């Protein structure tokens, strides 16, 4: 076989390989594509949007408690409530525009249960006492009041039906 024949054979093999790759390229480009398929693989659960909005609202309102002395924790809770209550109403209204009826209420007993379960007690703990006030859990840290969490009862009505949830939203995200 001459050098010229080998060169032509290599060119012919490259051309055949290129032709074989064309259908593979089309298959790759179309793999999994369908215009009806949502971009997210996780289905949206009832209340998940409400919980996301509440997480942000609680995080932003949590700063209202910082700086208040522990002895004035009730005043700190009132300030957090003054900041948080309008945000909760806005979340209810915003959801209604999208065809979802949401009712948000604080859950004092869930806040007390959360505080009992998640706040350390006894000697050697890093921070002071925790207390649940009006559905909010606050803790003493260096004689200041810090918001830890807010407990909610949510009732969501959408085209899938009615869902009731109890959630505890941590203030630290």
């Amino acid at each position: 076989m001459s050098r010229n024949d080998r060169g032509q054979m290599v060119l012919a093999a490259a051309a055949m390989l290129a032709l074989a790759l064309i259908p593979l390229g089309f298959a790759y480009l179309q793999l999994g594509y369908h215009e009806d398929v949502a971009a997210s693989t996780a289905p949206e659960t009832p209340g998940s949007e409400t919980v996301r909005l509440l997480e942000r609202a609680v995080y932003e309102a949590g700063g209202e408690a910082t700086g208040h002395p522990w002895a004035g924790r009730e005043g700190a809770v009132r300030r957090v409530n003054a900041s948080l209550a309008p945000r909760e109403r806005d979340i209810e209204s915003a959801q209604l525009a999208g065809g979802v009826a949401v009712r948000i209420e604080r859950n004092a007993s869930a806040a007390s249960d959360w505080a009992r379960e998640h706040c350390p007690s006894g000697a050697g703990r890093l921070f002071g006492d925790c207390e649940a006030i009006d559905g909010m859990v606050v803790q003493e840290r260096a004689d200041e009041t810090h918001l830890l969490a807010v407990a909610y009862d949510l009732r969501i009505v959408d085209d899938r039906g009615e869902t009731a949830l109890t959630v505890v939203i941590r203030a630290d995200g």
Side-chain angles (χ1 to χ4, degrees), residues 43-57:
E44 188 78 12
T45 58
S48 59
E49 178 68 13
T50 303
V51 170
R52 275 194 298 274
L53 294 169
L54 282 171
E55 285 171 345
R56 183 178 182 118

Side-chain angles (χ1 to χ4, degrees), residues 67-167:
H68 285 270
W70 180 245
R73 59 191 168 275
E74 289 85 6
V77 167
R78 281 193 298 276
R79 286 195 63 174
V80 171
N81 186 53
S83 174
L84 196 52
R87 296 171 195 218
E88 294 164 350
R89 301 297 76 87
D90 288 346
I91 291 169
E92 289 175 335
S93 299
Q95 301 274 332
L96 191 57
V100 178
V102 176
R103 181 73 181 144
I104 300 171
E105 294 178 351
R106 304 260 178 81
N107 185 322
S109 63
S112 295
D113 292 344
W114 190 92
R116 222 177 355 268
E117 187 175 318
H118 291 90
C119 290
S121 60
R125 66 180 185 245
L126 293 175
F127 301 115
D129 294 330
C130 282
E131 188 174 334
I133 304 171
D134 297 332
M136 295 182 225
V137 180
V138 292
Q139 185 176 39
E140 184 268 320
R141 295 184 179 180
D143 199 36
E144 287 187 357
T145 304
H146 288 269
L147 179 68
L148 294 184
V150 181
Y152 289 104
D153 284 330
L154 306 176
R155 184 163 307 282
I156 299 104
V157 179
D158 60 11
D159 58 351
R160 295 174 279 194
E162 185 172 331
T163 304
L165 302 169
T166 298
V167 295

Side-chain angles (χ1 to χ4, degrees), residues 1-10:
M1 183 181 270
S2 74
R3 185 175 186 166
N4 201 16
D5 290 337
R6 276 188 294 195
Q8 288 180 355
M9 190 174 215
V10 168

